[in-house]
Amino acid sequence: VAKRLEGKTIVITGASSGIGRSTAFEFARTAPANNLKLVLTARRIETLKGVAQQIRAEVGEGVQVLPVKLDVSNPEEVRAFVPGLPEEFRDINVLVNNAGLVKGVAKAPEIAEEDINTMFNTNVTGLINMTQAVLSVFKKRSEGGAGDIINIGSIAGREPYPGGSIYCATKAAVRSFTESLRKELIATRIRILEVDPGQVETEFSVVRFYGDKSKADAVYAGCDPLTPDDIAEVVVFVATRRENVVVADTLIFPNHQA
Ligand code: NDP
């Protein structure tokens, strides 16, 4: 499996915490001596630099880790992202579109316009813009445009719930975009994959409640959520199948969350 990651460049959005951070570690642990290049992106650059240091400390110099400040909801920043990378990191093989958030729990008529825009601009437009940027790298590659795009959706995109209408709509949009793109690219060497988590204990709920940790903790009371590592293992699994194997769509949730 490590051999399949040999020399690859992997971009992860939202790598400063939670699932994105764990996914960076999981790739690094899977191929610690395989000249892997990890480009970790998020808005909190100091946190990202810390993640990069922790990975280097754990796995050593066999993995190159580059932290890059990037707000996926800003189309200009996304446009500048690939051209702004050092040349040796520009030949991207895998993109994990993980950056995402939920703002608030409220009935649809009460949701603030700003929160609606933040969720759509990040979870949907940001993911689409990143996908376009990286697809253009795949298409230019002389070996025939191989590459993986792994979108992190959510159980919320399949099972909408009251109080989460906008977030659920963003994740349904991710699902729909992913399926269309997969069908457009069928029989090419590009794989378009989706991993949909159920409840995972991360900073997600802290963001949902605008930083109120006690409200966030209450979400997990009496539950046994997944850990971000549980999702990271699946992301690395789908990225390391033989090139002809497409694990298109995966739903992972804790046993209590039926
Ligand atoms: P976290 O809040 O721990 O991580 C979210 C990450 O996204 C952070 O690294 C954050 O970094 C980044 N991010 C948010 N907005 C932006 C932006 N505009 N530009 C770039 N990066 C951004 O939550 P999770 O790890 O749980 O979430 C990861 C993904 O998993 C999301 O897409 C989420 O919807 C999905 N998911 C989570 C579930 C859960 O229960 N936790 C369930 C199902 C799906 P920074 O703030 O530094 O920019």
Side-chain angles (χ1 to χ4, degrees):
V1 166
K3 278 269 170 220
R4 293 194 186 137
L5 292 173
E6 182 81 49
K8 295 248 165 104
T9 300
I10 297 173
V11 174
I12 303 171
T13 67
S16 58
S17 66
I19 294 167
R21 179 184 180 282
S22 281
T23 300
F25 270 91
E26 189 65 25
F27 274 117
R29 286 177 188 139
T30 304
N34 296 66
N35 192 25
L36 193 66
K37 296 188 193 108
L38 292 179
V39 182
L40 309 186
T41 75
R43 294 165 302 176
R44 288 173 292 174
I45 185 65
E46 292 310 319
T47 313
L48 266 182
K49 285 180 183 166
V51 173
Q53 263 173 5
Q54 288 157 8
I55 292 174
R56 286 185 205 112
E58 187 181 309
V59 303
E61 300 300 316
V63 178
Q64 294 181 58
V65 194
L66 179 71
V68 177
K69 186 174 185 322
L70 174 67
D71 180 346
V72 298
S73 71
N74 181 329
E76 279 170 28
E77 282 189 33
V78 174
R79 255 193 301 280
F81 169 66
V82 175
L85 289 173
E87 202 176 338
E88 66 272 26
F89 286 90
R90 260 181 243 155
D91 193 21
I92 299 162
N93 303 99
V94 179
L95 166 66
V96 183
N97 267 320
N98 164 76
L101 42 70
V102 59
K103 286 283 189 183
V105 180
K107 291 195 174 144
E110 288 143 29
I111 302 171
E113 187 181 352
E114 190 187 342
D115 288 344
I116 297 172
N117 291 337
T118 301
M119 285 187 265
F120 268 98
N121 292 342
T122 309
N123 300 1
V124 183
T125 313
L127 177 145
I128 293 170
N129 289 341
M130 284 300 296
T131 300
Q132 288 185 328
V134 169
L135 279 178
S136 69
V137 175
F138 291 174
K139 287 192 175 135
K140 273 188 212 140
R141 210 194 323 278
S142 56
E143 72 191 46
D148 292 339
I149 294 185
I150 304 168
N151 293 334
I152 305 301
S154 172
I155 198 170
R158 307 174 186 231
E159 300 283 343
Y161 53 86
S165 57
I166 303 302
Y167 177 69
C168 294
T170 68
K171 291 298 185 178
V174 167
R175 190 161 176 72
S176 180
F177 173 71
T178 305
E179 281 186 33
S180 295
L181 188 60
R182 184 184 306 127
K183 286 172 185 164
E184 287 175 15
L185 292 170
I186 224 140
T188 69
R189 295 179 64 205
I190 299 172
R191 297 188 295 197
I192 305 296
L193 312 170
E194 177 159 336
V195 174
D196 285 356
Q199 195 178 46
V200 187
E201 189 161 12
T202 63
E203 292 178 21
F204 185 73
S205 280
V206 182
V207 174
R208 181 201 313 244
F209 294 110
Y210 310 97
D212 185 332
K213 180 101 174 51
S214 58
K215 276 196 182 160
D217 288 345
V219 172
Y220 303 116
C223 302
D224 183 13
L226 300 181
T227 70
D229 285 351
D230 293 325
I231 307 302
E233 285 172 9
V234 175
V235 173
V236 173
F237 178 85
V238 303
T240 52
R241 296 309 87 203
R242 277 193 313 112
E243 198 181 295
N244 195 32
V245 179
V246 180
V247 186
D249 193 8
T250 317
L251 174 65
I252 319 145
F253 51 88
N255 210 358
H256 71 82
Q257 195 187 4

